[in-house]
Structures are given as C-alpha cells and as structure tokens.
C-alpha cells in the first residue's frame, strides 16, 4: 500500500493543471510585458487566467494579484491594511490564536513596529464567532484577519458573518482561504470579504503560485520593488506557466466541488468513526463544521513523531500537524489553542484526503493507526503510568 493522506501540506498536481502549463513553457514563452507578438500572446493568456480565477471567486479581474503563494499573499494583505491603518492613526489588528504562521509571524513583526494585536480565543471546538469579533473591534482597529478553514484541524469559520460585522464597523476584513479554496464555496462579494489569500498547490495546482484578492479601492503595499507588473502591486515577471496551471486547477475544483465534497465527507467520516474506536483518543476540532477532507486526532500516551514514522513504514503518508511546524519539537500552536495540554498535543495525527483516496484505503489506514497506536502504547512508560494510575488520563 502507498497512500497519500497529507493533502493539507500539498497535493499532487492534476493532469489538467499539468497540461494547461505545458504550452507556456514551450511555444508561448514570451514575457507578457514585451510589446511584440510573442510577448502579447503570453499577456493574453495572463489576462484570461485572471478573468477565469476572478469568476471562481466572484470578483473582477482587476482585483486579482498573482503572488508566489499563500504566504506572500497573507503578508501582503496584512502589511497593506497595516499601512492604510497607520495613516489614520489606527494600529489595532484582530486575528485568532490558530492562524497559519504566515499570518501570525507577520502580525508579530507589526507588533514590534508598534501595532497592537488581539488574538481571539478559538474555544475547544476550534471556532470563532462573529460576536467575538464584534466585541473586539475598537475605534483604532484597522484589520480583522480570520482564516476560512484551519489547516491542522479543518474547522470552518463563519466568514460571511464576520465579514458583515467588519463592513458595518468600517474595518477591513482579510481571510486566509488557502485551505478553503477549491474545497468550500467562495464568493467574496456575498461573503463580505475585502482581501483573500489562496495557494494553487493546495488544490492540485503547482507550487509557488497564489492569489491575493483585494477589493477595488484598497491600495496594496508592495513587498517586492521593481517593475510595474501586476499594476505596480507585485514586481517581477509573472510565472505564466504556474498561473495557467492554477487557473485550470481552480476551475476544475470549483466545477467538481459538490461531487468531491460528497465523496470526501464519506471517507472522512469512515476514518473518524474507525479511529474513534481506539481508547483514549479525541477528535480535534468541531465534528461537523470542518473541511470534508480533514481528520485530526490526539492520542494519549504516544509521540506523534513515532506514530508518523511507523505509519510511513506501513505506506501511509500523514502528518502530525502542519508541515511548517514538523521538524520542530514544539507542540502545535493550533492544538494548544483548542486547549489540548502539551503532553496530549504531542500525540497528534492529521490525515487529509483527496478525491483519489478510496474506501479501501481508508479501511487500511484505520487498521494501520490502530496497530501503530497499540504498539507505541505497549512500549510507552507514560502509557504504563496511565494504566497503573500513577498519572491521570487527560482524554477520558
Ligand atoms: C499552506 C498554507 C499557507 C501557505 O501557502 P504557501 O503557498 O505554501 O506559501 C498559508 N495558509 C494556510 C492556511 C495554508 O494551509
């Protein structure tokens, strides 16, 4: 068995996306800023990709800026709102404790520059409410940034309601929709979103390319100085092959969303039900308000790292949290944010599926997880202490 269940870290490119890219690496290789026909052919492709992506998001093409991915889009959105706020003397930003590091670290940097950041509590179920946002908004708030869906525990935030509160209060609203794009419906106008980030490699497109949507009238700050590409909002020759791959992948995902959601939800629930049979484990994040492809558990008395290595041995590629934090021994800030104590946060497992996974694979994963957890517990001194009552269980 060889099962990839780490699609929140990255996805395999679809053949549609690969095929959409190929001509732009060979025949249509021009620089879209060139005035000759070869360049203008590339420019036309760029224009069409922008229109097609805008159609998927419910905005107009001029509101799309191409970036190098989700991290850059998050950074640019936050810096832009911060600069706009500072001009009006507004230097307070609201976010949540379980954002992606691209958001949290950008906010940390702003704090050092004199901004004040309020991180909202995400509760045990991994959800924030529009009411919390409403209560946190102050006279000097210049930005609210709340992710659409969490990358570790998959919980889905009430984005449209939060956007409505921000509109009413005249505060800019950004959402990191990297995990949502291609999986959940997005319509920036209907959902009251001012800025939104997405990344192609999370929906079967290429790595190193993403989008920052910014509502008309929002002046974006530049992170990269240089030429006048992207209407002066992002310098550097556009990565046309990647942009074409992203447009094709996003259209594909949006077209097949209902069908994929039904399939993924069934697989997800099969995994959740099967893994829940293991004693002293707990699902992370709300049971229903979660991405159709996300399964996240904490197990008492084991180390997530060993769990992953042994699962890999059995042919299952999974994750303990986000790819960005693996390699560090700190427990996930997301699991701590939902109130998991350190010792349990270390024993986490994230399985994130794609349409290519099957029910047979899910059944195999369940057995593999059961085997590995019981083996690891059999050699764990912590587990022995739990069983003899020397230590108290955290998960009932
Ligand atoms: C993957 C991810 C990012 C970063 O996107 P890159 O394109 O890898 O820079 C940001 N936010 C979330 C929620 C993600 O899952």
């Amino acid at each position: 068995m060889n099962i990839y269940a780490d699609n929140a870290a990255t996805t395999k490119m679809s053949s549609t996306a690969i095929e959409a890219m190929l001509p732009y690496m060979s025949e249509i290789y021009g620089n879209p800023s060139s005035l000759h026909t070869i360049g203008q052919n590339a420019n036309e492709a760029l224009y069409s990709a922008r229109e097609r992506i805008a159609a998927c998001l419910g905005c107009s093409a001029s509101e799309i800026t191409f970036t190098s991915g989700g991290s850059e889009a998050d950074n640019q959105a936050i810096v832009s709102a911060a600069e706009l706020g500072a001009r009006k003397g507004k230097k307070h930003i609201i976010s949540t404790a379980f954002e992606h590091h691209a958001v949290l670290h950008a906010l940390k940097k702003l704090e050092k520059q004199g901004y004040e950041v309020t991180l909202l509590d995400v509760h045990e179920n991994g959800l924030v409410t529009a009411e919390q946002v409403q209560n946190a908004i102050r006279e000097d708030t210049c930005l609210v940034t709340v992710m659409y869906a969490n990358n570790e525990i998959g919980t889905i935030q009430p984005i449209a309601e939060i956007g409505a509160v921000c509109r009413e209060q005249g505060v800019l609203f950004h959402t990191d929709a990297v995990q949502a794009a291609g999986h959940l419906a997005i319509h920036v106008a209907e959902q009251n979103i001012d800025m939104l980030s997405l990344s192609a490699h999370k929906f079967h497109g290429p790595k190193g390319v993403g989008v920052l949507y910014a509502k008309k009238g929002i002046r974006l700050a530049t992170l990269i100085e240089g030429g006048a590409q992207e209407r002066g909002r992002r310098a550097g020759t556009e990565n046309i092959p990647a942009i074409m791959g992203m447009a094709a992948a996003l259209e594909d995902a949006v077209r097949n969303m209902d069908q994929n959601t039904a399939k993924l939800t069934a697989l997800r629930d099969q995994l959740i039900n099967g893994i829940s049979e293991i004693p002293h484990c707990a699902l992370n994040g709300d049971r229903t308000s979660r991405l159709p492809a996300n399964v996240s558990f904490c197990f008492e008395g084991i180390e997530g790292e060993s769990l992953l290595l042994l699962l890999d041995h059995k042919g299952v590629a999974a994750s303990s949290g986000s790819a960005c934090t693996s390699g560090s021994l700190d427990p996930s800030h997301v699991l701590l944010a939902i109130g998991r104590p350190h010792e349990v946060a270390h024993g986490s497992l994230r399985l994130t599926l794609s349409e290519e996974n099957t029910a047979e694979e899910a059944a195999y994963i369940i057995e593999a997880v059961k085997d590995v957890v019981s083996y690891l517990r059999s050699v764990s001194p912590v587990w022995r202490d739990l069983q003899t009552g020397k230590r108290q269980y955290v998960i009932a």
Side-chain angles (χ1 to χ4, degrees), residues 276 278-285 296-300 340 344 395-396:
S276 295
I278 298 172
H280 303 286
C281 78
L283 181 71
N284 296 315
S296 169
F297 274 93
C298 278
F299 300 93
E300 189 115 33
R340 295 278 184 234
V344 175
I395 302 170

Side-chain angles (χ1 to χ4, degrees), residues 49 55 93 117 120 130 144 146 158 163 180 184 187 195 209 232 242 258 283 305 324 347 362 382:
I93 298 173
V117 176
L120 301 175
V144 170
V146 175
L184 301 174
H187 194 290
M195 290 188 279
V209 66
D258 289 347
L283 181 71
E305 294 246 311
C324 324
V382 171

Side-chain angles (χ1 to χ4, degrees), residues 21-37:
M21 291 174 75
L22 291 175
Y24 299 91
M25 298 189 216
S26 48
E27 303 100 69
I28 315 169
Y29 53 82
N31 184 326
S33 299
S34 302
L35 290 180
H36 46 63
T37 310

Side-chain angles (χ1 to χ4, degrees), residues 279-298:
H280 303 286
C281 78
L283 181 71
N284 296 315
D286 197 71
R287 179 72 179 78
T288 49
S289 187
R290 71 189 299 129
L291 288 168
N294 176 289
V295 175
S296 169
F297 274 93
C298 278

Side-chain angles (χ1 to χ4, degrees), residues 12 19 30 40 42 56 61 90 93 145 194 196 252 262 298 321 347 358:
K12 178 172 138 186
E19 275 158 32
Q40 286 312 296
C56 291
K90 296 181 171 191
I93 298 173
T145 172
D194 295 315
L196 173 144
D252 229 22
C298 278
T358 63

